[in-house]
Amino acid sequence: MTFKLPPLPYDLSALEPHISEKTLSFHYGKHHHGYVNKLNELLVDSPLASKDLETVILETSGDAQKAAIFNNAAQVWNHTFYWNSMKPAGGGEPGKDLLKRIEKDFGDFDGFCTKFKEAAITQFGSGWAWLVEDQGHLKILKTGNAETPLTHKGVTPLLTCDVWEHAYYLDYQNRRPDYLDIFLKNLANWNFAEQNL
Ligand code: MN
């Protein structure tokens, strides 16, 4: 066992009623855990097995022959980042310093929310919405499938929302916009975003 499933930073029921225990137990216990197991299987007898997760992601990114390793490694990393991007009784506006940066780059907090939600909703199919820092500016990105801004040079991920259907379907069915509203209003962990800045 090279890579381990990191502990969830809260109980499986801690995000209720916004994200149910059922969703978290599947999402963390089956999906996230599944990516860890698959990655370990793929790395048996590979020199990459001795590297850290970030290095595995960077060294396999864009290499079609190593797409399966990249996909599973990036999904392990993205999910750990996502769990930390939420907390019980989160959401609403961030603290003063980050709020100022958001106002500088998005006009105001509502403007940020509108753009973040739009990126998340318009990500066709599976993927992720991100708040990142890029050359001194805050930006919103969306990535497809397992793609992660970790591989974008000079870009620091601050916060993410998983928009794969498995993240919200049990609780919100096809209503991805409702899930995004709740993420921003009740779940976003701005302390985590501030720590990443
Ligand atoms: Mn997911």
Side-chain angles (χ1 to χ4, degrees), residues 147-176:
E147 290 296 330
T148 173
L150 199 61
T151 61
H152 303 191
K153 233 186 161 81
V155 172
T156 306
L158 304 180
L159 194 81
T160 194
C161 184
D162 187 344
V163 298
W164 284 59
E165 276 187 350
H166 66 222
Y168 60 89
Y169 209 85
L170 292 175
D171 298 324
Y172 299 92
Q173 292 76 52
N174 61 333
R175 292 175 281 117
R176 192 189 288 187

PDB file of all heavy atoms in Angstrom, residues 147-176:
ATOM      1  N   GLU A 147      -8.896  16.496 -14.233  1.00  0.00           N
ATOM      2  CA  GLU A 147      -7.935  17.592 -14.428  1.00  0.00           C
ATOM      3  C   GLU A 147      -7.917  18.510 -13.217  1.00  0.00           C
ATOM      4  O   GLU A 147      -8.947  18.755 -12.583  1.00  0.00           O
ATOM      5  CB  GLU A 147      -8.276  18.390 -15.690  1.00  0.00           C
ATOM      6  CG  GLU A 147      -8.017  17.624 -16.984  1.00  0.00           C
ATOM      7  CD  GLU A 147      -6.538  17.285 -17.202  1.00  0.00           C
ATOM      8  OE1 GLU A 147      -5.669  18.046 -16.734  1.00  0.00           O
ATOM      9  OE2 GLU A 147      -6.265  16.238 -17.822  1.00  0.00           O
ATOM     10  N   THR A 148      -6.726  19.015 -12.904  1.00  0.00           N
ATOM     11  CA  THR A 148      -6.533  19.787 -11.679  1.00  0.00           C
ATOM     12  C   THR A 148      -5.595  20.967 -11.936  1.00  0.00           C
ATOM     13  O   THR A 148      -4.608  20.808 -12.675  1.00  0.00           O
ATOM     14  CB  THR A 148      -5.952  18.865 -10.569  1.00  0.00           C
ATOM     15  OG1 THR A 148      -5.627  19.644  -9.436  1.00  0.00           O
ATOM     16  CG2 THR A 148      -4.746  18.086 -11.046  1.00  0.00           C
ATOM     17  N   PRO A 149      -5.883  22.123 -11.345  1.00  0.00           N
ATOM     18  CA  PRO A 149      -4.998  23.275 -11.549  1.00  0.00           C
ATOM     19  C   PRO A 149      -3.618  23.093 -10.925  1.00  0.00           C
ATOM     20  O   PRO A 149      -2.729  23.899 -11.147  1.00  0.00           O
ATOM     21  CB  PRO A 149      -5.745  24.447 -10.881  1.00  0.00           C
ATOM     22  CG  PRO A 149      -6.891  23.881 -10.158  1.00  0.00           C
ATOM     23  CD  PRO A 149      -7.063  22.455 -10.556  1.00  0.00           C
ATOM     24  N   LEU A 150      -3.432  22.025 -10.172  1.00  0.00           N
ATOM     25  CA  LEU A 150      -2.112  21.695  -9.630  1.00  0.00           C
ATOM     26  C   LEU A 150      -1.079  21.598 -10.752  1.00  0.00           C
ATOM     27  O   LEU A 150       0.096  21.862 -10.548  1.00  0.00           O
ATOM     28  CB  LEU A 150      -2.217  20.339  -8.913  1.00  0.00           C
ATOM     29  CG  LEU A 150      -1.150  19.971  -7.908  1.00  0.00           C
ATOM     30  CD1 LEU A 150      -1.127  20.978  -6.767  1.00  0.00           C
ATOM     31  CD2 LEU A 150      -1.413  18.573  -7.356  1.00  0.00           C
ATOM     32  N   THR A 151      -1.540  21.237 -11.947  1.00  0.00           N
ATOM     33  CA  THR A 151      -0.612  21.083 -13.073  1.00  0.00           C
ATOM     34  C   THR A 151      -0.433  22.383 -13.860  1.00  0.00           C
ATOM     35  O   THR A 151       0.328  22.405 -14.823  1.00  0.00           O
ATOM     36  CB  THR A 151      -1.114  20.000 -14.061  1.00  0.00           C
ATOM     37  OG1 THR A 151      -2.392  20.421 -14.571  1.00  0.00           O
ATOM     38  CG2 THR A 151      -1.274  18.649 -13.372  1.00  0.00           C
ATOM     39  N   HIS A 152      -1.144  23.450 -13.467  1.00  0.00           N
ATOM     40  CA  HIS A 152      -1.005  24.731 -14.184  1.00  0.00           C
ATOM     41  C   HIS A 152       0.118  25.526 -13.518  1.00  0.00           C
ATOM     42  O   HIS A 152       0.019  25.861 -12.335  1.00  0.00           O
ATOM     43  CB  HIS A 152      -2.309  25.554 -14.135  1.00  0.00           C
ATOM     44  CG  HIS A 152      -3.509  24.830 -14.691  1.00  0.00           C
ATOM     45  ND1 HIS A 152      -4.712  25.466 -14.940  1.00  0.00           N
ATOM     46  CD2 HIS A 152      -3.691  23.534 -15.047  1.00  0.00           C
ATOM     47  CE1 HIS A 152      -5.585  24.583 -15.415  1.00  0.00           C
ATOM     48  NE2 HIS A 152      -4.991  23.403 -15.497  1.00  0.00           N
ATOM     49  N   LYS A 153       1.143  25.842 -14.268  1.00  0.00           N
ATOM     50  CA  LYS A 153       2.310  26.523 -13.706  1.00  0.00           C
ATOM     51  C   LYS A 153       1.937  27.868 -13.079  1.00  0.00           C
ATOM     52  O   LYS A 153       1.231  28.666 -13.691  1.00  0.00           O
ATOM     53  CB  LYS A 153       3.325  26.748 -14.828  1.00  0.00           C
ATOM     54  CG  LYS A 153       4.688  26.221 -14.462  1.00  0.00           C
ATOM     55  CD  LYS A 153       5.738  26.557 -15.504  1.00  0.00           C
ATOM     56  CE  LYS A 153       7.098  26.426 -14.853  1.00  0.00           C
ATOM     57  NZ  LYS A 153       7.607  25.094 -14.761  1.00  0.00           N
ATOM     58  N   GLY A 154       2.401  28.084 -11.876  1.00  0.00           N
ATOM     59  CA  GLY A 154       2.194  29.374 -11.215  1.00  0.00           C
ATOM     60  C   GLY A 154       0.820  29.554 -10.612  1.00  0.00           C
ATOM     61  O   GLY A 154       0.511  30.617 -10.084  1.00  0.00           O
ATOM     62  N   VAL A 155      -0.033  28.534 -10.721  1.00  0.00           N
ATOM     63  CA  VAL A 155      -1.406  28.643 -10.216  1.00  0.00           C
ATOM     64  C   VAL A 155      -1.521  27.919  -8.869  1.00  0.00           C
ATOM     65  O   VAL A 155      -1.087  26.788  -8.726  1.00  0.00           O
ATOM     66  CB  VAL A 155      -2.409  28.041 -11.229  1.00  0.00           C
ATOM     67  CG1 VAL A 155      -3.806  27.962 -10.634  1.00  0.00           C
ATOM     68  CG2 VAL A 155      -2.416  28.875 -12.511  1.00  0.00           C
ATOM     69  N   THR A 156      -2.093  28.602  -7.884  1.00  0.00           N
ATOM     70  CA  THR A 156      -2.305  27.998  -6.563  1.00  0.00           C
ATOM     71  C   THR A 156      -3.786  27.757  -6.332  1.00  0.00           C
ATOM     72  O   THR A 156      -4.563  28.715  -6.294  1.00  0.00           O
ATOM     73  CB  THR A 156      -1.791  28.948  -5.451  1.00  0.00           C
ATOM     74  OG1 THR A 156      -0.444  29.294  -5.730  1.00  0.00           O
ATOM     75  CG2 THR A 156      -1.896  28.294  -4.085  1.00  0.00           C
ATOM     76  N   PRO A 157      -4.219  26.502  -6.213  1.00  0.00           N
ATOM     77  CA  PRO A 157      -5.637  26.239  -5.906  1.00  0.00           C
ATOM     78  C   PRO A 157      -5.975  26.712  -4.486  1.00  0.00           C
ATOM     79  O   PRO A 157      -5.182  26.499  -3.552  1.00  0.00           O
ATOM     80  CB  PRO A 157      -5.752  24.711  -6.003  1.00  0.00           C
ATOM     81  CG  PRO A 157      -4.509  24.240  -6.696  1.00  0.00           C
ATOM     82  CD  PRO A 157      -3.455  25.259  -6.392  1.00  0.00           C
ATOM     83  N   LEU A 158      -7.126  27.351  -4.339  1.00  0.00           N
ATOM     84  CA  LEU A 158      -7.552  27.841  -3.021  1.00  0.00           C
ATOM     85  C   LEU A 158      -8.758  27.083  -2.491  1.00  0.00           C
ATOM     86  O   LEU A 158      -8.858  26.818  -1.289  1.00  0.00           O
ATOM     87  CB  LEU A 158      -7.892  29.338  -3.089  1.00  0.00           C
ATOM     88  CG  LEU A 158      -6.802  30.276  -3.615  1.00  0.00           C
ATOM     89  CD1 LEU A 158      -7.301  31.713  -3.608  1.00  0.00           C
ATOM     90  CD2 LEU A 158      -5.527  30.148  -2.804  1.00  0.00           C
ATOM     91  N   LEU A 159      -9.713  26.781  -3.385  1.00  0.00           N
ATOM     92  CA  LEU A 159     -10.973  26.157  -2.960  1.00  0.00           C
ATOM     93  C   LEU A 159     -11.551  25.414  -4.166  1.00  0.00           C
ATOM     94  O   LEU A 159     -11.411  25.877  -5.298  1.00  0.00           O
ATOM     95  CB  LEU A 159     -11.946  27.262  -2.536  1.00  0.00           C
ATOM     96  CG  LEU A 159     -13.185  26.841  -1.746  1.00  0.00           C
ATOM     97  CD1 LEU A 159     -12.795  26.665  -0.261  1.00  0.00           C
ATOM     98  CD2 LEU A 159     -14.290  27.898  -1.826  1.00  0.00           C
ATOM     99  N   THR A 160     -12.210  24.286  -3.920  1.00  0.00           N
ATOM    100  CA  THR A 160     -12.839  23.594  -5.048  1.00  0.00           C
ATOM    101  C   THR A 160     -14.209  23.040  -4.690  1.00  0.00           C
ATOM    102  O   THR A 160     -14.509  22.792  -3.520  1.00  0.00           O
ATOM    103  CB  THR A 160     -11.949  22.447  -5.579  1.00  0.00           C
ATOM    104  OG1 THR A 160     -12.452  22.021  -6.862  1.00  0.00           O
ATOM    105  CG2 THR A 160     -11.954  21.227  -4.652  1.00  0.00           C
ATOM    106  N   CYS A 161     -15.021  22.880  -5.733  1.00  0.00           N
ATOM    107  CA  CYS A 161     -16.300  22.194  -5.596  1.00  0.00           C
ATOM    108  C   CYS A 161     -16.359  21.076  -6.639  1.00  0.00           C
ATOM    109  O   CYS A 161     -16.127  21.309  -7.826  1.00  0.00           O
ATOM    110  CB  CYS A 161     -17.456  23.183  -5.800  1.00  0.00           C
ATOM    111  SG  CYS A 161     -19.070  22.424  -5.528  1.00  0.00           S
ATOM    112  N   ASP A 162     -16.629  19.878  -6.180  1.00  0.00           N
ATOM    113  CA  ASP A 162     -16.750  18.702  -7.042  1.00  0.00           C
ATOM    114  C   ASP A 162     -18.099  18.755  -7.750  1.00  0.00           C
ATOM    115  O   ASP A 162     -19.145  18.819  -7.087  1.00  0.00           O
ATOM    116  CB  ASP A 162     -16.660  17.445  -6.151  1.00  0.00           C
ATOM    117  CG  ASP A 162     -16.607  16.131  -6.929  1.00  0.00           C
ATOM    118  OD1 ASP A 162     -16.933  16.140  -8.132  1.00  0.00           O
ATOM    119  OD2 ASP A 162     -16.258  15.109  -6.314  1.00  0.00           O
ATOM    120  N   VAL A 163     -18.087  18.769  -9.074  1.00  0.00           N
ATOM    121  CA  VAL A 163     -19.367  18.781  -9.791  1.00  0.00           C
ATOM    122  C   VAL A 163     -19.617  17.482 -10.566  1.00  0.00           C
ATOM    123  O   VAL A 163     -20.441  17.433 -11.466  1.00  0.00           O
ATOM    124  CB  VAL A 163     -19.546  20.033 -10.692  1.00  0.00           C
ATOM    125  CG1 VAL A 163     -19.546  21.294  -9.840  1.00  0.00           C
ATOM    126  CG2 VAL A 163     -18.505  20.127 -11.793  1.00  0.00           C
ATOM    127  N   TRP A 164     -18.882  16.415 -10.216  1.00  0.00           N
ATOM    128  CA  TRP A 164     -19.275  15.096 -10.705  1.00  0.00           C
ATOM    129  C   TRP A 164     -20.658  14.780 -10.124  1.00  0.00           C
ATOM    130  O   TRP A 164     -20.939  15.146  -8.974  1.00  0.00           O
ATOM    131  CB  TRP A 164     -18.289  14.039 -10.205  1.00  0.00           C
ATOM    132  CG  TRP A 164     -16.961  13.983 -10.901  1.00  0.00           C
ATOM    133  CD1 TRP A 164     -16.044  14.984 -11.003  1.00  0.00           C
ATOM    134  CD2 TRP A 164     -16.387  12.851 -11.560  1.00  0.00           C
ATOM    135  NE1 TRP A 164     -14.933  14.543 -11.681  1.00  0.00           N
ATOM    136  CE2 TRP A 164     -15.124  13.242 -12.038  1.00  0.00           C
ATOM    137  CE3 TRP A 164     -16.827  11.534 -11.791  1.00  0.00           C
ATOM    138  CZ2 TRP A 164     -14.279  12.361 -12.737  1.00  0.00           C
ATOM    139  CZ3 TRP A 164     -15.982  10.658 -12.482  1.00  0.00           C
ATOM    140  CH2 TRP A 164     -14.735  11.082 -12.956  1.00  0.00           C
ATOM    141  N   GLU A 165     -21.477  14.087 -10.878  1.00  0.00           N
ATOM    142  CA  GLU A 165     -22.825  13.802 -10.365  1.00  0.00           C
ATOM    143  C   GLU A 165     -22.793  13.048  -9.040  1.00  0.00           C
ATOM    144  O   GLU A 165     -23.662  13.230  -8.188  1.00  0.00           O
ATOM    145  CB  GLU A 165     -23.643  13.004 -11.394  1.00  0.00           C
ATOM    146  CG  GLU A 165     -24.286  13.903 -12.427  1.00  0.00           C
ATOM    147  CD  GLU A 165     -25.247  13.164 -13.352  1.00  0.00           C
ATOM    148  OE1 GLU A 165     -25.270  11.916 -13.318  1.00  0.00           O
ATOM    149  OE2 GLU A 165     -25.954  13.849 -14.100  1.00  0.00           O
ATOM    150  N   HIS A 166     -21.771  12.202  -8.830  1.00  0.00           N
ATOM    151  CA  HIS A 166     -21.728  11.421  -7.580  1.00  0.00           C
ATOM    152  C   HIS A 166     -21.636  12.330  -6.343  1.00  0.00           C
ATOM    153  O   HIS A 166     -21.911  11.903  -5.238  1.00  0.00           O
ATOM    154  CB  HIS A 166     -20.620  10.358  -7.599  1.00  0.00           C
ATOM    155  CG  HIS A 166     -19.210  10.883  -7.628  1.00  0.00           C
ATOM    156  ND1 HIS A 166     -18.226  10.326  -8.421  1.00  0.00           N
ATOM    157  CD2 HIS A 166     -18.608  11.896  -6.972  1.00  0.00           C
ATOM    158  CE1 HIS A 166     -17.081  10.963  -8.234  1.00  0.00           C
ATOM    159  NE2 HIS A 166     -17.294  11.930  -7.361  1.00  0.00           N
ATOM    160  N   ALA A 167     -21.221  13.589  -6.554  1.00  0.00           N
ATOM    161  CA  ALA A 167     -21.085  14.519  -5.426  1.00  0.00           C
ATOM    162  C   ALA A 167     -22.435  15.016  -4.914  1.00  0.00           C
ATOM    163  O   ALA A 167     -22.555  15.394  -3.755  1.00  0.00           O
ATOM    164  CB  ALA A 167     -20.216  15.718  -5.827  1.00  0.00           C
ATOM    165  N   TYR A 168     -23.441  15.027  -5.798  1.00  0.00           N
ATOM    166  CA  TYR A 168     -24.702  15.676  -5.397  1.00  0.00           C
ATOM    167  C   TYR A 168     -25.965  14.927  -5.785  1.00  0.00           C
ATOM    168  O   TYR A 168     -27.057  15.287  -5.351  1.00  0.00           O
ATOM    169  CB  TYR A 168     -24.775  17.102  -5.979  1.00  0.00           C
ATOM    170  CG  TYR A 168     -24.707  17.173  -7.491  1.00  0.00           C
ATOM    171  CD1 TYR A 168     -25.859  17.095  -8.272  1.00  0.00           C
ATOM    172  CD2 TYR A 168     -23.486  17.314  -8.140  1.00  0.00           C
ATOM    173  CE1 TYR A 168     -25.795  17.145  -9.660  1.00  0.00           C
ATOM    174  CE2 TYR A 168     -23.407  17.375  -9.520  1.00  0.00           C
ATOM    175  CZ  TYR A 168     -24.569  17.300 -10.278  1.00  0.00           C
ATOM    176  OH  TYR A 168     -24.497  17.341 -11.653  1.00  0.00           O
ATOM    177  N   TYR A 169     -25.843  13.853  -6.578  1.00  0.00           N
ATOM    178  CA  TYR A 169     -27.061  13.279  -7.165  1.00  0.00           C
ATOM    179  C   TYR A 169     -28.032  12.705  -6.124  1.00  0.00           C
ATOM    180  O   TYR A 169     -29.242  12.869  -6.249  1.00  0.00           O
ATOM    181  CB  TYR A 169     -26.708  12.225  -8.222  1.00  0.00           C
ATOM    182  CG  TYR A 169     -27.788  12.150  -9.273  1.00  0.00           C
ATOM    183  CD1 TYR A 169     -27.778  13.027 -10.353  1.00  0.00           C
ATOM    184  CD2 TYR A 169     -28.847  11.248  -9.170  1.00  0.00           C
ATOM    185  CE1 TYR A 169     -28.786  13.015 -11.305  1.00  0.00           C
ATOM    186  CE2 TYR A 169     -29.857  11.223 -10.120  1.00  0.00           C
ATOM    187  CZ  TYR A 169     -29.818  12.104 -11.182  1.00  0.00           C
ATOM    188  OH  TYR A 169     -30.821  12.098 -12.124  1.00  0.00           O
ATOM    189  N   LEU A 170     -27.508  12.054  -5.085  1.00  0.00           N
ATOM    190  CA  LEU A 170     -28.401  11.460  -4.074  1.00  0.00           C
ATOM    191  C   LEU A 170     -29.200  12.541  -3.334  1.00  0.00           C
ATOM    192  O   LEU A 170     -30.328  12.320  -2.919  1.00  0.00           O
ATOM    193  CB  LEU A 170     -27.599  10.645  -3.055  1.00  0.00           C
ATOM    194  CG  LEU A 170     -26.940   9.366  -3.561  1.00  0.00           C
ATOM    195  CD1 LEU A 170     -26.081   8.748  -2.456  1.00  0.00           C
ATOM    196  CD2 LEU A 170     -27.994   8.359  -4.027  1.00  0.00           C
ATOM    197  N   ASP A 171     -28.608  13.723  -3.165  1.00  0.00           N
ATOM    198  CA  ASP A 171     -29.265  14.799  -2.411  1.00  0.00           C
ATOM    199  C   ASP A 171     -30.004  15.794  -3.307  1.00  0.00           C
ATOM    200  O   ASP A 171     -31.013  16.357  -2.898  1.00  0.00           O
ATOM    201  CB  ASP A 171     -28.233  15.569  -1.582  1.00  0.00           C
ATOM    202  CG  ASP A 171     -27.545  14.681  -0.548  1.00  0.00           C
ATOM    203  OD1 ASP A 171     -28.224  13.798   0.006  1.00  0.00           O
ATOM    204  OD2 ASP A 171     -26.344  14.868  -0.303  1.00  0.00           O
ATOM    205  N   TYR A 172     -29.486  16.042  -4.482  1.00  0.00           N
ATOM    206  CA  TYR A 172     -30.041  17.110  -5.330  1.00  0.00           C
ATOM    207  C   TYR A 172     -30.481  16.619  -6.711  1.00  0.00           C
ATOM    208  O   TYR A 172     -30.921  17.409  -7.531  1.00  0.00           O
ATOM    209  CB  TYR A 172     -29.013  18.245  -5.501  1.00  0.00           C
ATOM    210  CG  TYR A 172     -28.640  18.886  -4.179  1.00  0.00           C
ATOM    211  CD1 TYR A 172     -27.542  18.426  -3.447  1.00  0.00           C
ATOM    212  CD2 TYR A 172     -29.402  19.914  -3.644  1.00  0.00           C
ATOM    213  CE1 TYR A 172     -27.220  18.990  -2.217  1.00  0.00           C
ATOM    214  CE2 TYR A 172     -29.085  20.491  -2.429  1.00  0.00           C
ATOM    215  CZ  TYR A 172     -27.990  20.022  -1.712  1.00  0.00           C
ATOM    216  OH  TYR A 172     -27.679  20.581  -0.504  1.00  0.00           O
ATOM    217  N   GLN A 173     -30.339  15.315  -6.972  1.00  0.00           N
ATOM    218  CA  GLN A 173     -30.629  14.735  -8.279  1.00  0.00           C
ATOM    219  C   GLN A 173     -29.925  15.567  -9.364  1.00  0.00           C
ATOM    220  O   GLN A 173     -28.745  15.792  -9.248  1.00  0.00           O
ATOM    221  CB  GLN A 173     -32.140  14.622  -8.527  1.00  0.00           C
ATOM    222  CG  GLN A 173     -32.806  13.585  -7.610  1.00  0.00           C
ATOM    223  CD  GLN A 173     -32.972  14.113  -6.194  1.00  0.00           C
ATOM    224  OE1 GLN A 173     -33.511  15.194  -6.016  1.00  0.00           O
ATOM    225  NE2 GLN A 173     -32.496  13.378  -5.228  1.00  0.00           N
ATOM    226  N   ASN A 174     -30.675  16.070 -10.345  1.00  0.00           N
ATOM    227  CA  ASN A 174     -30.018  16.787 -11.440  1.00  0.00           C
ATOM    228  C   ASN A 174     -29.869  18.283 -11.162  1.00  0.00           C
ATOM    229  O   ASN A 174     -29.474  19.041 -12.043  1.00  0.00           O
ATOM    230  CB  ASN A 174     -30.811  16.587 -12.735  1.00  0.00           C
ATOM    231  CG  ASN A 174     -32.225  17.123 -12.614  1.00  0.00           C
ATOM    232  OD1 ASN A 174     -32.777  17.178 -11.512  1.00  0.00           O
ATOM    233  ND2 ASN A 174     -32.818  17.525 -13.729  1.00  0.00           N
ATOM    234  N   ARG A 175     -30.170  18.723  -9.937  1.00  0.00           N
ATOM    235  CA  ARG A 175     -30.176  20.160  -9.652  1.00  0.00           C
ATOM    236  C   ARG A 175     -28.791  20.659  -9.221  1.00  0.00           C
ATOM    237  O   ARG A 175     -28.586  21.084  -8.100  1.00  0.00           O
ATOM    238  CB  ARG A 175     -31.242  20.467  -8.594  1.00  0.00           C
ATOM    239  CG  ARG A 175     -32.665  20.262  -9.131  1.00  0.00           C
ATOM    240  CD  ARG A 175     -33.733  20.440  -8.061  1.00  0.00           C
ATOM    241  NE  ARG A 175     -33.851  19.257  -7.225  1.00  0.00           N
ATOM    242  CZ  ARG A 175     -33.591  19.249  -5.916  1.00  0.00           C
ATOM    243  NH1 ARG A 175     -33.207  20.339  -5.291  1.00  0.00           N
ATOM    244  NH2 ARG A 175     -33.730  18.134  -5.229  1.00  0.00           N
ATOM    245  N   ARG A 176     -27.851  20.635 -10.146  1.00  0.00           N
ATOM    246  CA  ARG A 176     -26.503  21.091  -9.822  1.00  0.00           C
ATOM    247  C   ARG A 176     -26.490  22.547  -9.317  1.00  0.00           C
ATOM    248  O   ARG A 176     -25.753  22.868  -8.380  1.00  0.00           O
ATOM    249  CB  ARG A 176     -25.572  20.917 -11.029  1.00  0.00           C
ATOM    250  CG  ARG A 176     -24.105  21.101 -10.674  1.00  0.00           C
ATOM    251  CD  ARG A 176     -23.187  21.140 -11.878  1.00  0.00           C
ATOM    252  NE  ARG A 176     -23.007  19.853 -12.542  1.00  0.00           N
ATOM    253  CZ  ARG A 176     -22.141  19.658 -13.531  1.00  0.00           C
ATOM    254  NH1 ARG A 176     -21.364  20.650 -13.958  1.00  0.00           N
ATOM    255  NH2 ARG A 176     -22.038  18.472 -14.107  1.00  0.00           N
TER     256      ARG A 176
END
